[in-house]
Amino acid sequence: MKAIRRFTVRTVLPEQLQPLHELALNLRWSWHPETRELFRSVDPEVWAAVGEDPVRLLGEVPAERLAALAADRRFLRRLGDLSDDLRDYLTGPRWYQTALPPGDGSSPLPAAIAYFSPEYGIAAALPQYSGGLGILAGDHLKAASDLGVPIIGVGLFYRHGYFRQSLSRDGWQQERYPLLDPDELAVSLLREADCTPCRIDLALPGGRTLAAHIWKAQVGRVPLLLLDSDIESNTAADRNVTDRLYGGGSEHRLLQEMLLGIGGVRAVRTYCRLTGHAAPEVFHTNEGHAGFLGVERIRELAAEGLGFAPALEAVRAGTLFTTHTPVPAGIDRFDRELVARHFSGDAALPGVPVEEVLALGGESWAGGDPKLFNMAAMGLRLAQRANGVSTLHGEVSRGMFNGLWPGFDAAEVPITSVTNGVHAPTWIDPAVVRLGAAELGLERAEQAMMTGEARRWTGLEKIANGEIWELRRALRAQLVEEARRRLRESWRQRGAGEAELGWVSSVLDPDVLTIGFARRVPSYKRLTLMLRDQARLRSLLLHPTHPIQIVVAGKAHPADDGGKRLIQQLVAFADDPAVRHRIVFLPDYDMAMAQHLYPGCDVWLNNPLRPLEACGTSGMKAALNGCLNLSVLDGWWDEWYDGQNGWAIPTADGVESTMDPESKEAERRDDIESAALYDLIEHQVAARFYDRASDGLPHRWIAMVRHTLVTLGPKVLAGRMVREYVERLYAPAASAQRELAGGGAGALAEWKARVRAAWPAVRVEHVEADGPLEAQELGSTLTLRVSVSLGALEPSDVEVQVVSGRVDETDSLSEAVALALKPVGGPDLDGRYRYEGSLELGRTGPFGYTVRVLPSHHLLASTAELGLVALPAEAGGMDTGVLR
């Protein structure tokens, strides 16, 4: 029989133990070892049984045990100390507060930042994530908390989270969606002063209303607001809007993204009203799913009397858009008519015409589909600042979105990059921290992990080889034990009896070189590249003196049968009795599994199709634990591989890249790269791991581990990442937003409208240079004189530049440098203006230059912002494409 209603009966804690409740409801426990150890000591057996979840622990620990703890003076002292420590953490000044006092008008730092993401990986006990995007968002909030950055997180509360994974007998992925009870999670319902739940309403077509409550999770100092549509006032269909992460059809996804963006802004306003929290000056959109937040903020300003154009400028100034996808297929796109229906009629947002909404997401560039609404395009049009998540991904993004800035080379597209980082206190094994703290001191070690300010973790060089090797062996043994437990559980779910599973106790070996591979399973990540030559892989696994073992995990999207087939192929190989003690697939990859995998592996494998890995942070987490990376030069590894912190898998340069895994090009590429992978493992990785000196230690291997910790450790930190966001993006966005307060937004909107209207008349009429151009000596100078027509514009509205650099056989410029020319005198009789400047020839070889005219205003974040440029006729004529 099934229960018709479900609820949670909570334990009433003795008064002396009330601080336990406060500690459990602040998710800082998930990265604070001392607090986790306190909860473990409450009842070790129950702690393990509830998956190390403090809220569930307090709900299930026997009353007599609580009574004993209430009388245990030693336990109460520890509890009091940790309660005081949390209070100090929440209220004391941290990096942000000591950098410059924010929000008083004299500091460039924003008073608050709203951070929107469709998923968050904070802890396994709050399963609101599917993969890297959510883990990155969780690490962003944790690092912001450690640094004291006043962020408000915004997301959706998924009643079923993401799916739990198991395998059928034949290795096919099975999904199940357990119902999450908020009463069993570290969340609380946001309530009005009269204790009624806060409610957010969105108007929908047909007179319907989508309502949502707001759950708040406290992530250290950072509040995380999660909107939940599963409330009684909604229809059955609307209650399911937030049923699961990345589920449902197109309209379901659109409603999720409207609730996240529009409802999320309203949730932030509600939270600030109730708590007195400073209103955000900057809104950060983590990928395009939350893009409608900009539309809602335009509606807010329209309600204050601002027209659409100035409201758009005000919103853009304080908005940052982060893109995470390197392929157009990864972007959410909706039927234009579907979007139109949800922003018109009785569903319209007052002051925001539907045609303006549609223009924000329109694919207006060459090759775009006019029938589709593109969420990334809207995100970029609504944000004055944008970034990719690694240096290479920034470059890829500039090329991918080049169509939004017609007339500009991809290198000039205004998308910068901030390379992702990972939250070290979450991902470093406590044993690694203890080893580092023995040399650095605990306070210095903790500070280094959180702030990411050091360029090197100086001091770790002193750790003896024997200590490092002993630690690595202990972590490997810990992983072996966990893998055996999970493998046994998996086989029981697949239908095996206990009598069939005796072999599991000898799976993996704590003294064998261990390679880890765990991530989502789309085709471009190439889970099965290691299976290209199965005979060769077997020989590596079973080598008599240099064996390897591989631990694999990952989930395919429930609708991705191709990904499921890849998992099935890997599982079929791993099920072979000849090799199953050397390679395992562990189902249900999540944060809890990851925290064993990263420390326990010697090598972290990543072999995506370059350059389709935007960043790929799993290898960062492994590196923090002394694991070496073996990866294609993609994402973060492309910029930080130095030849001593791991190995680079060669890519098949010259072979045409394709996403079709069954094409001849893909087959040839994968054959070449898998052969390179096998060679690296056999002749370099395994050879170095098993190269032992007379003392039994692999000194060259240990040197690479030490080098990784000392030099790579500080780079991969989320603290470094969040500081970069604050200094390079949040602070400039806050300053721009303040400058547009009052009438500034209207003045900027009027200027842009005037420039766009006048631009067709802007022309480069004549360019001349002193001296012969056939050949010039290094160090010589060309004097340039340029004549331009500006139509109705003034010289103060534009900048005239000479752009110079190397040229190829087609006269295309590369490594280009722009130099502003100076106006000399007023307009001539034909209304043309003259500009002059000197061009120094500072490089040898083929060289060229061109001249262009760009709009110029001190409130533009980039000269390419309007997408307007005028070029000489001989350079391809004038391009007057417009970017709003």
Side-chain angles (χ1 to χ4, degrees):
M1 292 183 292
K2 297 184 70 174
I4 62 170
R5 295 198 66 180
R6 173 193 174 105
F7 53 89
T8 297
V9 181
R10 285 184 167 172
T11 301
V12 178
L13 293 175
E15 184 178 350
Q16 303 93 318
L17 300 182
Q18 284 299 318
L20 281 174
H21 186 65
E22 298 169 15
L23 291 174
L25 283 182
N26 192 307
L27 286 157
R28 185 199 182 212
W29 61 258
S30 68
W31 72 89
H32 193 249
E34 292 85 354
T35 304
R36 292 175 59 82
E37 180 55 32
L38 177 77
F39 281 118
R40 192 197 68 80
S41 70
V42 167
D43 191 317
E45 290 187 7
V46 176
W47 176 246
V50 298
E52 302 185 353
D53 179 346
V55 175
R56 292 180 58 200
L57 170 77
L58 297 182
E60 297 190 21
V61 68
E64 55 271 22
R65 175 57 180 164
L66 293 175
L69 290 173
D72 185 336
R73 288 184 293 179
R74 184 177 179 183
F75 180 86
L76 293 178
R77 279 197 301 272
R78 290 175 64 200
L79 176 58
D81 289 345
L82 286 169
S83 180
D84 290 343
D85 179 73
L86 177 61
R87 191 173 301 111
D88 290 344
Y89 174 87
L90 296 177
T91 59
R94 305 192 73 79
W95 170 81
Y96 196 84
Q97 287 68 41
T98 57
L100 283 172
D104 64 357
S106 64
S107 167
L109 300 183
I113 303 104
Y115 180 91
F116 286 64
S117 178
E119 53 174 300
Y120 288 91
I122 308 293
L126 187 63
Q128 301 288 302
Y129 62 94
S130 70
L133 180 69
I135 299 299
L136 180 278
D139 283 6
H140 195 108
L141 297 195
K142 294 175 190 176
S145 174
D146 289 342
L147 294 170
V149 181
I151 278 182
I152 301 172
V154 184
L156 300 179
F157 181 79
Y158 304 100
R159 288 283 176 154
H160 292 88
Y162 201 51
F163 70 91
R164 303 296 302 272
Q165 179 196 46
S166 59
L167 299 174
S168 68
R169 187 75 190 209
D170 64 355
W172 189 256
Q173 173 179 290
Q174 309 285 304
E175 301 98 22
R176 66 187 194 282
Y177 291 86
L179 179 66
L180 299 177
D181 182 354
D183 290 332
E184 294 180 346
L185 302 174
V187 296
S188 57
L189 199 59
L190 194 64
R191 296 181 181 274
E192 297 287 353
D194 62 2
C195 291
T196 58
C198 297
R199 176 172 151 163
I200 303 299
D201 289 342
L202 265 66
L204 298 181
R208 292 162 46 218
T209 297
L210 174 63
H213 287 164
I214 306 166
W215 295 96
K216 180 178 75 73
Q218 194 65 38
V219 186
R221 298 167 69 114
V222 173
L224 171 58
L225 309 178
L226 302 171
L227 288 99
D228 178 12
S229 70
D230 188 14
I231 61 177
E232 291 184 3
S233 60
N234 284 330
T235 65
D238 290 342
R239 292 185 70 160
N240 286 332
V241 165
T242 57
D243 60 346
R244 61 186 61 177
L245 183 58
Y246 303 141
S250 184
E251 184 168 13
H252 185 270
R253 289 287 293 275
L254 177 62
L255 290 175
Q256 283 191 339
E257 298 186 8
M258 290 175 61
L259 183 60
L260 174 60
I262 299 170
V265 173
R266 297 176 185 178
V268 168
R269 304 304 187 203
T270 301
Y271 178 78
C272 292
R273 170 175 59 81
L274 291 172
T275 64
H277 194 290
E281 295 184 275
V282 175
F283 285 74
H284 184 172
T285 309
N286 190 41
E287 199 41 89
H289 309 80
F292 289 118
L293 72 85
V295 178
E296 167 63 10
R297 292 174 60 216
I298 291 173
R299 182 205 63 78
E300 291 180 326
L301 293 173
E304 297 175 8
L306 215 57
F308 181 86
L312 173 61
E313 296 305 330
V315 166
R316 290 187 73 251
T319 303
L320 166 65
F321 176 75
T322 297
T323 174
H324 289 261
T325 179
V327 289
I331 297 169
D332 275 353
R333 301 157 84 203
F334 297 104
D335 183 273
R336 179 184 172 91
E337 294 305 313
L338 177 67
V339 176
R341 190 164 68 250
H342 283 78
F343 284 90
S344 59
D346 50 10
L349 293 177
V352 187
V354 63
E355 60 270 16
E356 298 287 3
V357 176
L358 295 175
L360 289 170
E363 295 192 353
S364 56
W365 53 87
D369 189 337
K371 296 180 181 178
L372 294 180
F373 184 93
N374 186 303
M375 293 297 289
M378 177 175 67
L380 289 165
R381 287 183 172 119
L382 282 169
Q384 193 176 44
R385 288 162 180 82
N387 71 284
V389 291
S390 69
T391 300
L392 179 59
H393 180 237
E395 180 183 330
V396 170
S397 298
R398 288 188 287 275
M400 188 166 80
F401 295 111
N402 198 175
L404 282 166
W405 287 270
F408 289 87
D409 291 341
E412 294 185 289
V413 167
I415 300 175
T416 185
S417 62
V418 175
T419 301
N420 283 343
V422 297
H423 185 246
T426 295
W427 301 109
I428 296 185
D429 191 275
V432 180
V433 177
R434 288 193 294 270
L435 183 64
E439 290 294 337
L440 305 178
L442 182 58
E443 185 174 345
R444 185 182 162 204
E446 289 179 346
Q447 185 70 13
M449 287 193 301
M450 287 191 293
T451 62
E453 291 183 292
R455 298 199 175 195
R456 291 172 61 90
W457 280 350
T458 304
L460 298 184
E461 302 96 330
K462 301 175 184 177
I463 302 174
N465 282 3
E467 290 183 275
I468 292 177
W469 190 241
E470 182 180 349
L471 172 66
R472 293 298 316 147
R473 206 270 180 186
L475 294 174
R476 201 181 307 116
Q478 181 179 289
L479 171 59
V480 168
E481 181 180 352
E482 177 70 6
R484 289 173 181 174
R485 183 189 70 79
R486 287 178 176 270
L487 190 64
R488 183 179 299 275
E489 180 181 331
S490 172
W491 272 99
R492 293 297 299 271
Q493 291 176 340
R494 294 173 70 182
E498 193 62 37
E500 302 175 68
L501 299 177
W503 59 274
V504 173
S505 59
S506 60
V507 163
L508 305 181
D509 184 329
D511 292 309
V512 167
L513 170 63
T514 304
I515 298 175
F517 183 102
R519 50 192 38 86
R520 292 185 302 111
V521 190
S523 60
Y524 78 88
K525 290 181 183 283
R526 297 192 295 184
L527 169 72
T528 56
L529 187 70
M530 65 181 79
L531 300 183
R532 295 294 296 179
D533 185 341
Q534 295 190 10
R536 181 125 190 233
L537 177 58
R538 284 192 184 90
S539 70
L540 293 172
L541 294 168
L542 304 175
H543 195 284
T545 58
H546 295 170
I548 68 168
Q549 57 193 15
I550 306 176
V551 181
V552 185
K555 293 179 177 179
H557 188 279
D560 181 10
D561 281 354
K564 293 180 184 180
R565 279 192 291 274
L566 296 179
I567 291 175
Q568 188 176 43
Q569 292 167 23
L570 194 287
V571 171
F573 181 86
D575 283 352
D576 184 347
V579 296
R580 65 187 180 187
H581 63 299
R582 287 280 187 260
I583 181 169
V584 297
F585 180 88
L586 302 180
D588 210 25
Y589 180 46
D590 65 358
M591 291 182 72
M593 182 193 295
Q595 286 168 326
H596 287 93
L597 267 178
Y598 301 135
C601 291
D602 299 294
V603 174
W604 196 255
L605 175 62
N606 189 27
N607 47 231
L609 176 59
R610 189 180 191 271
L612 301 184
E613 184 82 279
C615 184
T617 57
S618 61
M620 295 180 172
K621 298 160 195 163
L624 283 173
N625 289 281
C627 178
L628 304 179
N629 275 268
L630 172 62
S631 175
V632 166
L633 287 174
D634 202 1
W636 73 274
W637 190 238
D638 181 71
E639 62 193 276
W640 288 336
Y641 165 68
D642 67 6
Q644 300 177 63
N645 51 15
W647 296 268
I649 301 171
T651 50
D653 296 330
V655 176
E656 183 180 350
S657 179
T658 175
M659 288 292 289
D660 180 3
E662 297 181 1
S663 68
K664 290 183 178 179
E665 293 83 1
E667 290 282 329
R668 180 164 172 251
R669 177 200 65 217
D670 289 353
D671 284 341
I672 292 171
E673 295 184 10
S674 62
L677 172 61
Y678 298 136
D679 285 343
L680 270 175
I681 292 175
E682 180 176 4
H683 300 302
Q684 296 190 41
V685 181
R688 181 159 295 193
F689 182 85
Y690 290 106
D691 178 18
R692 309 295 166 87
S694 57
D695 59 4
L697 300 179
H699 292 281
R700 291 199 302 157
W701 183 278
I702 296 170
M704 293 179 72
V705 171
R706 183 184 290 106
H707 175 76
T708 293
L709 291 171
V710 169
T711 64
L712 196 53
K715 293 180 181 178
V716 301
L717 297 183
R720 183 269 313 153
M721 171 189 72
V722 171
R723 285 191 303 104
E724 283 194 46
Y725 273 110
V726 168
E727 295 164 354
R728 293 176 46 205
L729 295 166
Y730 293 164
S735 296
Q737 193 272 339
R738 291 169 192 166
E739 282 204 67
L740 292 187
L748 180 60
E750 290 175 7
W751 177 84
K752 284 189 173 182
R754 180 168 60 84
V755 169
R756 289 189 181 106
W759 201 256
V762 176
R763 290 188 297 274
V764 178
E765 301 283 8
H766 181 69
V767 180
E768 64 180 55
D770 284 347
L773 294 181
E774 289 76 15
Q776 293 285 341
E777 293 183 354
L778 180 66
S780 60
T781 300
L782 289 179
T783 299
L784 299 176
R785 285 181 289 276
V786 179
S787 177
V788 300
S789 293
L790 298 181
L793 300 181
E794 299 293 328
S796 59
D797 295 321
V798 302
E799 182 173 286
V800 179
Q801 297 178 341
V802 56
V803 183
S804 62
R806 297 188 183 277
V807 290
D808 60 18
E809 61 276 3
T810 66
D811 287 339
S812 296
L813 289 167
S814 63
E815 301 176 36
V817 176
L819 175 69
L821 301 177
K822 295 181 180 179
V824 287
D828 61 19
L829 294 176
D830 295 321
R832 294 177 297 193
Y833 291 85
R834 198 175 75 195
Y835 287 76
E836 292 184 357
S838 298
L839 177 60
E840 183 176 342
L841 306 181
R843 65 179 73 186
T844 58
F847 184 87
Y849 71 87
T850 189
V851 174
R852 65 184 181 182
V853 185
L854 301 169
S856 177
H857 192 287
H858 75 284
L859 290 178
L860 298 182
S862 160
T863 54
E865 185 171 314
L866 274 72
L868 298 175
V869 58
L871 299 165
E874 59 266 30
M878 182 173 62
D879 193 322
T880 57
V882 176
L883 169 73
R884 256 206 231 267

